Amino acid sequence: EGIVLQAQEIERYGKTEDAIDELILTNKSLILIYEYKANRRAKAEQKIDKVSLERIKTVNGNPQVMRVDHEDYGDVMQILYVDGSREYFMFWKPKKDIPLWINTINSVITGEAIEEIVEPEKKEKKKW
């Protein structure tokens, strides 16, 4: 198993709401590393969730990983799972990071090449 992509300080929403210290995409799974407290008085411990890419739902060969404008969370990456559950991931730089993560996850699952992400050029303001 090898690392394909990594990001730090991500927010996860779904069954639980967690501040993810590190999100790692490997060729076989998504790995989420975060601190967990059983209750207010408990000492925080590092927790690692490993989600097999096989759990991500596919429709007509397309992994169900998409960008959505969620009414509560805003601009996020949504992942639908075969068990019917879903999770949302909020990135610090959504315009750059969400397309990168979606394209890379799709590429790893389908085996197809990653589409190159090109940031739109900023138009120069006309000086009158």
Side-chain angles (χ1 to χ4, degrees):
E1 189 167 16
I3 294 174
V4 177
L5 193 59
Q6 294 176 254
Q8 295 180 333
E9 298 181 12
I10 308 300
E11 298 288 327
R12 170 175 68 171
Y13 305 97
K15 291 179 189 175
T16 63
E17 295 187 3
D18 299 301
I20 305 299
D21 295 323
E22 191 165 16
L23 177 63
I24 302 169
L25 172 66
T26 73
N27 57 317
K28 295 183 181 184
S29 58
L30 277 172
I31 300 170
L32 299 93
I33 302 170
Y34 58 99
E35 286 193 4
Y36 173 77
K37 288 175 89 171
N39 58 53
R40 287 182 164 176
R41 296 178 188 200
K43 183 179 177 185
E45 59 184 63
Q46 188 177 58
K47 191 167 181 180
I48 299 173
D49 289 350
K50 192 170 184 178
V51 180
S52 171
L53 294 180
E54 292 176 356
R55 286 194 50 219
I56 297 176
K57 183 177 182 176
T58 59
V59 175
N60 296 327
N62 297 315
Q64 297 299 287
V65 180
M66 60 205 75
R67 184 180 201 156
V68 296
D69 185 9
H70 192 279
E71 62 184 55
D72 292 330
Y73 312 129
D75 190 11
V76 293
M77 178 177 74
Q78 173 184 265
I79 299 178
L80 303 176
Y81 296 103
V82 293
D83 66 2
S85 65
R86 67 180 73 196
E87 287 187 309
Y88 304 95
F89 294 88
M90 184 186 306
F91 294 85
W92 283 102
K93 296 178 182 176
K95 287 183 181 180
K96 176 185 170 207
D97 292 337
I98 292 174
L100 174 63
W101 276 83
I102 290 172
N103 290 340
T104 306
I105 291 169
N106 285 333
S107 176
V108 170
I109 292 173
T110 64
E112 295 179 11
I114 298 172
E115 293 179 30
E116 184 177 343
I117 298 171
V118 179
E119 286 292 315
E121 291 183 25
K122 293 183 181 177
K123 294 182 180 178
E124 289 186 32
K125 293 183 180 179
K126 293 182 181 179
K127 295 178 184 176
W128 299 96

